[in-house]
Amino acid sequence: MKLHPAVIVLIVVLVVVLISVFWAISIYNRMVSLEQRVQESYSQIQNQLQRRADLIPNLVETVKGYAAHEKEIFEALANARAKLAGAQTPQEQATADAELSNVLSRLLVIVENYPTLKADANFRQLMDELAGTENRIAVARKDYNEAVREYNAFIKRFPNVLIANAYGFKEKQYFEAKPGAEEPPSVKF
C-alpha cells in the first residue's frame, strides 16, 4: 500500500507541528521553573534581612545599658532598620541594607570603647548571631544573583526569547550594593 504524497506531506507537517508545540511547552516550563527559583532566592534574602532586623533590638538594648549617652547611633539604627522593613524592590532593599550595615559598623566602634560590654555573655551571643546572619545574608544575595543570572540568560537566548516575549517573561533585577558600599564607613564621635 502506497501513501498518497499529500498524506505524507500532511503527516510530516503534523509531526513538525507536534515537535514544535512540545518544544515550546518545554521552554515555557523551564522559564517558569527559573522564575520560581529567582523568587525563592529573593525570599531567602528577605528572611535573612528580617532575622537581622529581629536581632538588632536585642543587641541595641544590651548596648544601651552600657552606652546610654550614645543616643544618636540608636536612633540611626532604628531609622535604618525601619527603612529596610519598608523596602519593596531588590534595589530599595540593597540600599537600605547598605545603610543598616553602615550603622551597625558604627555601633561596633562604640562597643570597642566599652570593654566590659564585650565580655558580657548576652552581648557575645547576640554578636555571634548577628555575624552568622551577616554570612547568611551574603550567601542569600549570592544565590539570588546566580538565579537571576541563569534566568536572564535563559530568557534572552534565541529561540527562547521568542517564547519569553510572547508570555511576558521579563528580565529580573540583580541585588546590587549601593554605590560607595566598597568604602569603609566613616565613624565620627
Side-chain angles (χ1 to χ4, degrees):
M1 181 172 125
K2 188 173 180 186
L3 292 177
H4 191 275
V7 173
I8 293 174
V9 169
L10 182 63
I11 291 173
V12 169
V13 168
L14 188 59
V15 167
V16 169
V17 167
L18 284 175
I19 289 172
S20 297
V21 167
F22 286 121
W23 168 81
I25 290 170
S26 172
I27 296 296
Y28 176 84
N29 288 339
R30 176 80 172 134
M31 287 179 196
V32 169
S33 296
L34 290 172
E35 187 173 46
Q36 290 302 307
R37 182 167 177 250
V38 168
Q39 290 174 357
E40 175 190 12
S41 297
Y42 184 63
S43 176
Q44 285 305 314
I45 291 173
Q46 291 175 314
N47 288 341
Q48 295 308 323
L49 292 176
Q50 183 62 51
R51 184 174 192 272
R52 182 210 282 164
D54 292 344
L55 284 171
I56 288 171
N58 296 326
L59 180 64
V60 167
E61 289 304 314
T62 303
V63 175
K64 270 185 181 178
Y66 286 89
H69 64 283
E70 303 286 358
K71 182 179 176 188
E72 179 185 319
I73 191 73
F74 299 119
E75 289 174 356
L77 198 52
N79 290 338
R81 185 173 174 256
K83 283 182 186 174
L84 183 59
Q88 299 297 318
T89 66
Q91 192 57 42
E92 287 174 0
Q93 282 188 327
T95 301
D97 175 51
E99 184 177 330
L100 184 58
S101 294
N102 185 16
V103 175
L104 280 173
S105 66
R106 288 175 44 208
L107 178 66
L108 294 178
V109 170
I110 290 172
V111 168
E112 292 295 320
N113 294 327
Y114 296 91
T116 55
L117 173 60
K118 290 188 287 185
D120 181 76
N122 289 337
F123 178 76
R124 282 197 321 259
Q125 179 186 358
L126 286 168
M127 289 307 297
D128 288 344
E129 289 285 327
L130 197 55
T133 299
E134 294 298 322
N135 288 336
R136 288 183 185 108
I137 290 170
V139 169
R141 284 181 193 141
K142 180 182 85 54
D143 291 347
Y144 171 77
N145 283 341
E146 286 175 359
V148 167
R149 178 188 42 77
E150 184 179 1
Y151 169 82
N152 287 346
F154 189 79
I155 68 165
K156 288 181 177 182
R157 285 188 206 121
F158 186 81
N160 302 352
V161 68
L162 302 174
I163 294 171
N165 289 338
Y167 289 100
F169 286 93
K170 303 289 181 205
E171 185 175 357
K172 301 294 182 189
Q173 186 179 20
Y174 285 97
F175 196 97
E176 297 176 356
K178 183 173 108 176
E182 67 280 355
E183 297 296 321
S186 63
V187 180
K188 297 177 185 174
F189 295 103

